[in-house]
Amino acid sequence: MSIQRTYYEIGSKITDMLKNAGYEKDQKLPSERELSEMFGASRATIREALVMLEVKGVVSVKKGSGIFYNGSSISSNAVLDIDCDTMNNHSIGPFELIKAREVIETSIVEFAATQIKLEELRKLKEIIELQERDIYLGAEIFERRDREFHEMIARSTQNKVLIYLESYLWANARTKNRLWQDLNARYLQQPEKIPASIQGHKNIYIALQRRDPQAAKVAFLDHLENSRKDLIEALNSEGICLDDYEDAYFASLKWRE
């Protein structure tokens, strides 16, 4: 697991390098091999860090051409999160979050199907492959990959507002939400549950690859519905009353009958 933490650390170091060395927009970065030597990390770790930075919009990796700085003013801390303090993130319930994702992200993925580029599809496929490779490394790692996948979809819309909304959801409602993190690690990101989640990502990817907005929306809703059902079943199996959650009302609101 230490290797997986390293790619996040390397991502922050690369961002610091871009800022401190005065890189300008569209300026080319050192190659993967050179970055590997600079930061004392394997090329695989460098590649994973670059995937993360590309999802964040910090760099663009152009096959056959190299790595280029996008001119973003994002800080190294912002690589890990987007700071949005206007929401009391600890008060957001798990079912409230799932419902919000249904409303917001279905629109994002539907629009993404009309805008997504081949390079962005390639990145989504890479993230899915990393998820499959790292399937047994724990909830924290899978959560990061999950975030990268969904933020890459938002980025493919080319719409800054939608990109911000997606990052806002993750930063506040998930990453900073202790209740969600606890439930996610205990119930949704267990080894036996992760393959179904990855399959959900594959279904979304296939629909996007076909440029089919309706299929992308349905695939995303199925993905969310599986999470909702898994969470309800897990809580019921432990004798936890759903009414104990202030947002239990949203648990019963299915997206379709």
Side-chain angles (χ1 to χ4, degrees):
M1 191 174 291
S2 61
I3 293 176
Q4 302 309 314
R5 285 197 297 269
T6 299
Y7 90 82
Y8 241 52
E9 295 167 3
I10 294 299
S12 291
K13 288 181 179 179
I14 292 174
T15 307
D16 285 337
M17 177 193 76
L18 295 171
K19 181 174 59 175
N20 296 334
Y23 272 72
E24 297 181 354
K25 181 175 170 50
D26 297 325
Q27 184 174 343
K28 190 173 183 179
L29 276 68
S31 67
E32 284 185 6
R33 179 183 58 80
E34 292 170 320
L35 290 171
S36 175
E37 293 172 356
M38 288 171 62
F39 295 110
S42 69
R43 290 187 66 173
T45 300
I46 294 295
R47 195 170 299 115
E48 292 179 27
L50 291 173
V51 167
M52 179 186 70
L53 291 176
E54 188 162 23
V55 169
K56 299 296 182 185
V58 179
V59 302
S60 293
V61 181
K62 301 177 182 178
K63 200 168 185 178
S65 299
I67 312 154
F68 298 88
Y69 179 44
N70 285 339
S72 171
S73 60
I74 194 167
S75 68
S76 58
N77 286 335
V79 168
L80 305 179
D81 240 334
I82 288 182
D83 185 18
C84 309
D85 294 326
T86 57
M87 181 187 290
N88 181 4
N89 45 70
H90 302 305
S91 68
I92 300 171
F95 300 109
E96 186 176 17
L97 172 59
I98 290 173
K99 177 54 65 174
R101 293 190 65 194
E102 176 190 316
V103 173
I104 296 170
E105 291 187 77
T106 51
S107 296
I108 290 175
V109 75
E110 195 172 14
F111 184 50
T114 70
Q115 303 296 312
I116 197 163
K117 301 174 184 176
L118 285 175
E119 191 68 12
E120 292 156 344
L121 284 167
R122 182 176 68 83
K123 289 301 173 185
L124 287 176
K125 187 176 181 181
E126 284 182 11
I127 294 168
I128 291 172
E129 289 171 350
L130 289 172
Q131 285 183 312
E132 291 182 313
R133 190 199 68 185
D134 299 341
I135 195 168
Y136 296 114
L137 291 180
E140 181 182 354
I141 301 304
F142 192 81
E143 178 79 353
R144 289 178 184 174
R145 301 293 189 209
D146 197 16
R147 177 173 183 170
E148 289 167 8
F149 180 82
H150 290 288
E151 287 191 341
M152 189 71 242
I153 292 174
R155 187 160 294 283
S156 74
T157 66
Q158 322 301 324
N159 185 294
K160 293 184 179 66
V161 176
L162 298 179
I163 294 167
Y164 176 84
L165 283 173
E166 183 69 39
S167 293
Y168 187 88
L169 268 177
W170 279 89
N172 286 271
R174 291 188 64 150
T175 304
K176 295 180 182 179
N177 187 326
R178 293 174 186 171
L179 173 59
W180 174 262
Q181 289 299 320
D182 178 60
L183 292 172
N184 201 32
R186 288 171 60 192
Y187 303 124
L188 300 182
Q189 305 294 15
Q190 290 301 305
E192 67 273 15
K193 298 290 185 183
I194 288 179
S197 184
I198 294 176
Q199 185 59 51
H201 285 180
K202 287 181 178 179
N203 294 341
I204 295 168
Y205 167 77
I206 291 169
L208 290 172
Q209 188 181 44
R210 293 174 178 170
R211 309 300 200 280
D212 188 332
Q214 184 59 29
K217 179 178 180 179
V218 170
F220 186 85
L221 286 167
D222 284 339
H223 184 51
L224 280 184
E225 178 69 0
N226 286 336
S227 294
R228 188 188 69 86
K229 286 181 177 177
D230 284 345
L231 188 55
I232 291 174
E233 288 174 7
L235 294 175
N236 286 336
S237 69
E238 293 200 2
I240 299 174
C241 180
L242 292 183
D243 291 337
D244 289 342
Y245 290 93
E246 292 182 358
D247 68 329
Y249 166 73
F250 293 107
S252 63
L253 294 180
K254 298 181 181 180
W255 66 272
R256 64 180 180 185
E257 296 297 327

